[in-house]
Amino acid sequence: TSNYSMALNSLLLKLEQTGDLFLLFKAGFISYKILEHKDIYLTFDSHIKQGCKKTKAVQKTAVQFKVDDMTIWRVVKKMEENEV
């Protein structure tokens, strides 16, 4: 993960902890898709930190979010390429 995407993920988490992320969402500055991608990526990252290989982490995350594996791969790629 690049420094930029780590910083972006950190910022999203800080905004979430303060409640500002929800306020930004309600005001229309942040889309639902951004919130969903954050949750998907954090779940994927959690599986990686638990020792799963990327493919297994993608599969587990896809099951949890009831989407196909390709959706998870796209989110991971976007988050890691800083295209949030």
Side-chain angles (χ1 to χ4, degrees):
T1 312
S2 73
N3 288 337
Y4 178 79
S5 87
M6 287 173 41
L8 185 55
N9 291 333
S10 177
L11 175 60
L12 287 172
L13 289 175
K14 285 179 187 174
L15 289 170
E16 184 173 49
Q17 290 168 352
T18 63
D20 292 336
L21 189 62
F22 181 69
L23 293 175
L24 289 169
F25 169 69
K26 277 185 74 172
F29 290 106
I30 293 179
S31 70
Y32 175 77
K33 191 173 186 176
I34 296 294
L35 299 179
E36 184 179 48
H37 284 192
K38 174 194 63 77
D39 290 341
I40 287 172
Y41 188 77
L42 291 176
T43 300
F44 165 81
D45 194 49
S46 171
H47 291 308
I48 293 292
K49 288 177 180 171
Q50 292 170 10
C52 289
K53 296 192 185 257
K54 269 190 165 184
T55 303
K56 187 64 175 176
V58 164
Q59 291 169 348
K60 285 182 158 192
T61 304
V63 168
Q64 284 179 266
F65 283 87
K66 298 178 181 163
V67 297
D68 61 22
D69 291 4
M70 200 63 214
T71 299
I72 305 302
W73 282 116
R74 277 190 223 99
V75 169
V76 168
K77 183 178 180 188
K78 280 184 180 183
M79 294 295 283
E80 291 183 349
E81 288 181 352
N82 319 312
E83 294 179 6
V84 180

